[in-house]
Amino acid sequence: MVALVTGPGQPSRPPRRTSAPRTRIGLWFGRPLASFHLIVTIAVLLTVLGLVMVLSASSAESYAADESGYALFTQQLIGVALGVVAFYVALRLPVRYLRKLSFPLFLVSITMLMLVLIPGIGAERQGARRWFDFGVVSFQPSELAKVALVLWGAHLLASRRSEHGNIKSLLVPLLPAGLLMCLLVVLQPNLSTAIALGIILVALLWFAGLNAKLFLAVLMTGLALATVLAFTAGYRSNRVKAWLNPGEDTSGLSYQSTQAKYSLADGGWFGRGLGQSRAKWSYLPNAHNDFIFAIIGEELGMIGCLAVIGLFGLFVYTGLRIAMRSVDPFLRLLTAGATCWVFGQAMINISYVVGLLPVTGLQLPLVSYGGTSTAITLLMFGIIASAARHEPEAIAALHAGQEGRIARALKLPLPAVFSPKRAAMARSKSTRPTLAAQDRQRLESRKGKDGRSARAPEPGRTRTRVSSSRAASPTNHRTDLPRGTGRRAEPQRRDPAAGHPTGSRSAYRPRPEPQPGRPPVRSGERGYRR
């Protein structure tokens, strides 16, 4: 056993032992690919639960409208199929491609948010213009905007942090671009999705290391704007009034929230049984969409509700675990921001179903009805699963041949080891801080003064400053190349009798005189060449 030396005259201490996991669960969590398996398992469980509950909650309404109990379930199944394909594509997509596609995807999402507001292009439903209708399939661009914001924001902040950007470079252009995206979503109108975008923006700034006071100012400003917007439209203010006075108008403003509470109370601890809900028979509006958690509580009881909350809690633990273990700053910010987005949206949905928040319309991820939302959320889960495979221990295990049967069957490529140099090459010119532009301007001005070009320094490298005494020293003077010659002109030689060197490297060179307020430069120190 190796002893630790504590000091002269003191007894040595044995090395501190780290407690190893003793249970089977602890051993399983210590495996290299535990995070990847957890993310895949959570995604599968939530997706299967969502399909079952959408079929149960929408069967009565679908039969009354289309004489078929599987109409809405079929659309949800199409969204799940598209999401599974997106999940697989995200697993195979290299990280450098994600960074390259982040800014174009952000521009595409901004363009689509503008186009959906134009009458004739965007489809209007229930007074809101949020969808592109393609006949059988409809697409909601605000869901794609969430992925675009978290990808581009993580790429931008990772680039600025690696290049030592200041506070302004962290806030600009991310904060104005995020507010523009929120404004376009509010104009649809869709305040609930704007709140989800705000959660992503705040999470990215927090995990990027923004100053606590400045972060608090941004957070309070966002809450103030959301409060003002909540009272600007009539239906939003009605929701707030119904939340503040839940028992005042149970057959009018508070009807939906009151029926949701009845459903939860009717379920008890173990529920009435799968498919035995009473509220789905036109008692609870949007039972398959915004208020599906109430149907889960009625049919599966408190046990089913706690299981859903436990799955999202396990997702938060796994997502933050992946973020903490990631070496790549981009993957760290991306995973943390996406985790806060999914968990925050789930908690808001559950909170307004049980009456803790006013009704906002945010869906329960992977559980509520919505083809676009399900497909986009599965895409985000695939990106998080890909980040789990890029953990250092996971990379070592995969390169050692410990892929597993699922990875071999899917033929997933081996993840690449993170390289800061390769990550710097993947940055776009728009994400570099203003320091590089200042260096280029300084070099151009020097070129104009000296009459010769200077090589631009690489971003992130510092240049050694040379003292003015060294620059003024006659021994360091070099003449320019004479025009028409192919070699450098010989330096001017001085007379040895005058006490000056004759040009040999070993000759004595005078020390530079010390400047006022500075200590004398000694041989071997930085800024003086022997």
Side-chain angles (χ1 to χ4, degrees):
M1 181 180 297
V2 180
L4 298 178
V5 180
T6 57
Q10 297 181 2
S12 59
R13 300 177 183 176
R16 191 174 184 179
R17 296 181 179 179
T18 57
S19 59
R22 299 179 180 180
T23 62
R24 293 183 178 180
I25 298 179
L27 291 174
W28 191 87
F29 273 91
R31 297 175 60 184
L33 294 173
S35 301
F36 172 73
H37 294 148
L38 280 173
I39 288 295
V40 174
T41 304
I42 294 170
V44 171
L45 291 178
L46 288 176
T47 304
V48 172
L49 176 65
L51 286 174
V52 172
M53 297 311 302
V54 166
L55 177 60
S56 175
S58 65
S59 57
E61 184 178 350
S62 298
Y63 185 79
D66 302 331
E67 296 183 356
S68 174
Y70 300 96
L72 295 178
F73 172 75
T74 303
Q75 297 180 6
Q76 182 72 6
L77 194 61
I78 294 174
V80 170
L82 295 176
V84 169
V85 174
F87 187 95
Y88 180 70
V89 171
L91 278 179
R92 295 188 58 88
L93 200 63
V95 177
R96 63 179 184 275
Y97 288 160
L98 288 176
R99 303 194 70 167
K100 289 181 180 179
L101 295 175
S102 60
F103 186 65
L105 184 63
F106 181 81
L107 293 180
V108 169
S109 63
I110 289 289
T111 305
M112 295 177 71
L113 290 176
M114 292 180 179
L115 291 177
V116 79
L117 298 175
I118 302 176
I121 298 179
E124 184 176 356
R125 300 175 185 176
Q126 300 178 355
R129 197 178 300 275
R130 307 175 185 175
W131 298 270
F132 291 115
D133 198 354
F134 300 105
V136 181
V137 181
S138 60
F139 178 73
Q140 193 171 356
S142 58
E143 296 293 335
L144 181 63
K146 300 175 185 178
V147 179
L149 181 60
V150 71
L151 279 175
W152 181 64
H155 168 62
L156 183 68
L157 293 177
S159 302
R160 296 296 173 88
R161 287 186 63 190
S162 59
E163 294 179 353
H164 307 288
N166 50 14
I167 297 179
K168 181 180 179 181
S169 64
L170 291 178
L171 295 178
V172 180
L174 177 61
L175 189 60
L179 293 178
L180 173 63
M181 184 174 285
C182 293
L183 177 62
L184 293 175
V185 173
V186 169
L187 293 177
Q188 294 180 0
N190 191 358
L191 182 60
S192 58
T193 305
I195 292 175
L197 293 174
I199 292 175
I200 295 173
L201 191 62
V202 170
L204 288 175
L205 292 177
W206 171 258
F207 287 102
L210 190 64
N211 187 10
K213 294 183 179 179
L214 190 57
F215 173 79
L216 185 61
V218 173
L219 180 62
M220 297 304 296
T221 303
L223 292 177
L225 289 176
T227 305
V228 171
L229 291 174
F231 289 96
T232 53
Y235 72 97
R236 297 174 191 157
S237 60
N238 290 336
R239 290 177 176 178
V240 176
K241 292 177 182 178
W243 174 64
L244 294 176
N245 301 303
E248 182 178 355
D249 189 7
T250 56
S251 60
L253 296 178
S254 304
Y255 175 77
Q256 194 173 21
S257 58
T258 302
Q259 291 296 325
K261 294 176 185 177
Y262 288 163
S263 300
L264 292 172
D266 197 16
W269 279 97
F270 301 100
R272 299 180 56 87
L274 188 62
Q276 303 299 319
S277 172
R278 298 177 181 178
K280 66 182 180 182
W281 294 92
S282 301
Y283 289 103
L284 178 60
N286 293 325
H288 60 285
N289 193 357
D290 298 341
F291 285 84
I292 198 170
F293 187 76
I295 305 300
I296 294 175
E298 186 179 4
E299 295 186 353
L300 303 181
M302 179 64 73
I303 302 300
C305 293
L306 292 178
V308 174
I309 297 175
L311 284 176
F312 282 105
L314 184 60
F315 168 74
V316 171
Y317 166 77
T318 309
L320 295 182
R321 166 191 166 113
I322 296 171
M324 291 177 61
R325 294 190 173 192
S326 296
V327 183
D328 190 350
F330 168 71
L331 290 180
R332 189 183 306 122
L333 290 171
L334 174 62
T335 307
T339 302
C340 292
W341 154 37
V342 175
F343 180 73
Q345 183 171 331
M347 289 301 102
I348 290 175
N349 178 273
I350 295 174
S351 297
Y352 72 69
V353 169
V354 300
L356 295 178
L357 289 177
V359 178
T360 58
L362 275 176
Q363 299 170 334
L364 191 61
L366 296 182
V367 181
S368 296
Y369 169 80
T372 305
S373 175
T374 303
I376 294 299
T377 308
L378 282 176
L379 171 64
M380 200 69 250
F381 267 77
I383 295 176
I384 297 175
S386 176
R389 298 181 79 244
H390 284 80
E391 293 180 0
E393 296 180 358
I395 292 177
L398 290 173
H399 282 270
Q402 304 176 11
E403 299 180 2
R405 298 179 180 178
I406 299 178
R408 294 194 189 112
L410 297 177
K411 297 182 179 180
L412 298 178
L414 294 178
V417 181
F418 172 70
S419 173
K421 183 178 181 181
R422 189 164 54 244
M425 294 175 61
R427 298 175 196 143
S428 60
K429 296 181 180 179
S430 61
T431 59
R432 294 182 180 177
T434 56
L435 183 60
Q438 295 176 0
D439 286 340
R440 287 194 296 268
Q441 293 178 1
R442 191 182 300 111
L443 290 172
E444 290 178 358
S445 61
R446 183 178 301 175
K447 177 181 177 181
K449 293 180 181 179
D450 299 343
R452 61 178 182 271
S453 61
R455 185 177 180 182
E458 298 181 4
R461 291 190 177 183
T462 57
R463 303 186 330 191
T464 305
R465 298 184 60 182
V466 183
S467 61
S468 58
S469 59
R470 175 187 169 188
S473 177
T475 59
N476 293 329
H477 175 71
R478 295 183 179 179
T479 58
D480 294 335
L481 287 172
R483 185 172 300 177
T485 61
R487 61 184 181 86
R488 187 181 298 273
E490 293 292 336
Q492 185 178 3
R493 295 178 178 272
R494 303 297 180 91
D495 187 8
H500 295 284
T502 59
S504 62
R505 295 179 60 92
S506 61
Y508 169 79
R509 297 190 181 188
R511 297 176 181 266
E513 298 181 1
Q515 298 180 359
R518 289 188 179 182
V521 181
R522 298 180 179 179
S523 176
E525 292 184 349
R526 192 173 184 179
Y528 180 80
R529 184 174 58 188
R530 298 185 65 176

